[in-house]
Amino acid sequence: MKVIVFGATGNLGSRLLPALLAHEHQVVVYVRNERKLKEIVDPAVVSQLTVVTGDATDAEAIKDALVKHQCDALVNSAGGVALFPWQAPQMQGIVNAVSTAAVDASRELKRPIRGWFLGGFMVLDFPGQKGIKINRYVPLFSEHSLTFDCLTSKPQEHLEWSLFSPAYMRPASQTITLLEAPRGNSFSTAVDVPPGWQPSYFARIPLLGTFLTVVGNVLRYNTDLEDCADFLAADLAKPNRSFVGHRVSVKESGKGKVQ
């Protein structure tokens, strides 16, 4: 599959590059600063990429890149995210541009484009409360809800989107190097809610109970950036159609392959 990556100089995007190559994808990167890419990523990785420079808020330029390079899929991990709900959104210009460009490119290419967009844990539904997001109880990273709203407004016959919604992602390594084979991961997954959520006796506490339940659970969902990159690359190699049109959450579940 030919995959274009937005945010290739970021924590997740840079680790996605060797993961995609290990899964035998052809990789196009859309970056603002090619020099920064070469400073972060091993030359052995960069030599296997097709690099396009441009502004990630320019929908027309993005559409042209998707069409010119005949991309089948995209991964967008570009931009920062507002931590608190009263802060101005930081990444919506990019999300809107990339998703709009994908729809327009799909129409021109006459086939759908698969798209993974980076969200966050707080945009998931609280287990047992369909439609009520976790960020209602812990109001952090609420901007991801705007990303979700943007994606749900796009026609799925053109953009087959998923919103990757991990908790904290930590680096397993500070270096971005070529992989001899896919890293693999041991994730269990769920759509729209966290997998393996554990009820808590804290829930009985008036007013603060749900907040404390979230806090007690969220640290159990921390993952390695490299494992998240492998998960996305593996899904693009062997797509799980049940992820399309949903928020997707992951959790470490021990040794083994993607579940």
Side-chain angles (χ1 to χ4, degrees):
M1 183 175 282
K2 184 170 280 191
V3 184
I4 188 168
V5 178
F6 301 89
T9 59
N11 287 330
L12 178 60
S14 59
R15 289 164 174 82
L16 186 62
L17 305 179
L20 288 167
L21 292 171
H23 283 275
E24 301 183 349
H25 296 290
Q26 296 174 274
V27 183
V28 180
V29 295
Y30 189 99
V31 294
R32 182 174 53 189
N33 188 334
E34 185 175 356
R35 177 180 295 180
K36 183 178 179 182
L37 176 72
K38 292 179 177 178
E39 290 173 351
I40 294 172
V41 180
D42 188 278
V45 175
V46 176
S47 67
Q48 298 190 46
L49 309 175
T50 299
V51 180
V52 178
T53 56
D55 183 345
T57 63
D58 187 339
E60 188 64 26
I62 294 169
K63 185 209 78 171
D64 290 344
L66 287 162
V67 172
K68 177 181 178 181
H69 296 284
Q70 299 285 298
C71 295
D72 303 297
L74 68 87
V75 181
N76 178 56
S77 62
V81 60
L83 175 60
F84 299 108
W86 56 84
Q87 293 177 316
Q90 298 181 27
M91 61 190 298
Q92 293 313 299
I94 296 173
V95 171
N96 285 317
V98 172
S99 58
T100 297
V103 170
D104 292 342
S106 166
R107 291 188 173 116
E108 193 163 328
L109 293 168
K110 301 188 186 318
R111 54 176 170 79
I113 290 177
R114 178 73 173 107
W116 276 99
F117 290 76
L118 180 60
F121 189 82
M122 298 300 175
V123 78
L124 297 166
D125 286 351
F126 190 93
Q129 299 183 24
K130 185 176 181 179
I132 305 299
K133 297 183 181 68
I134 294 173
N135 61 28
R136 175 174 175 175
Y137 303 108
V138 181
L140 299 175
F141 302 108
S142 298
E143 185 179 356
H144 290 309
S145 293
L146 299 178
T147 299
F148 180 58
D149 291 343
C150 175
L151 295 176
T152 56
S153 74
K154 302 302 180 185
Q156 278 187 39
E157 65 266 27
H158 295 297
L159 176 58
E160 296 180 338
W161 63 269
S162 295
L163 185 60
F164 185 53
S165 304
Y168 174 69
M169 296 179 289
R170 60 194 171 238
S173 172
Q174 296 297 331
T175 58
I176 315 299
T177 58
L178 202 62
L179 300 173
E180 294 183 359
R183 172 186 174 91
N185 66 82
S186 58
F187 288 160
S188 57
T189 64
V191 296
D192 299 324
V193 296
W197 185 264
Q198 292 185 355
S200 169
Y201 66 87
F202 287 130
R204 302 175 185 175
I205 301 174
L207 300 179
L208 290 177
T210 308
F211 172 85
L212 294 173
T213 298
V214 172
V215 173
N217 266 282
V218 69
L219 294 179
R220 300 171 49 246
Y221 292 86
N222 292 346
T223 55
D224 286 348
L225 283 158
E226 290 81 356
D227 287 341
C228 292
D230 180 82
F231 170 79
L232 296 172
D235 180 74
L236 291 173
K238 294 182 179 179
N240 185 333
R241 298 295 302 172
S242 69
F243 293 159
V244 175
H246 291 280
R247 296 154 289 174
V248 179
S249 180
V250 297
K251 180 178 178 293
E252 292 283 356
S253 61
K255 298 290 185 181
K257 296 183 179 295
V258 179
Q259 298 186 9

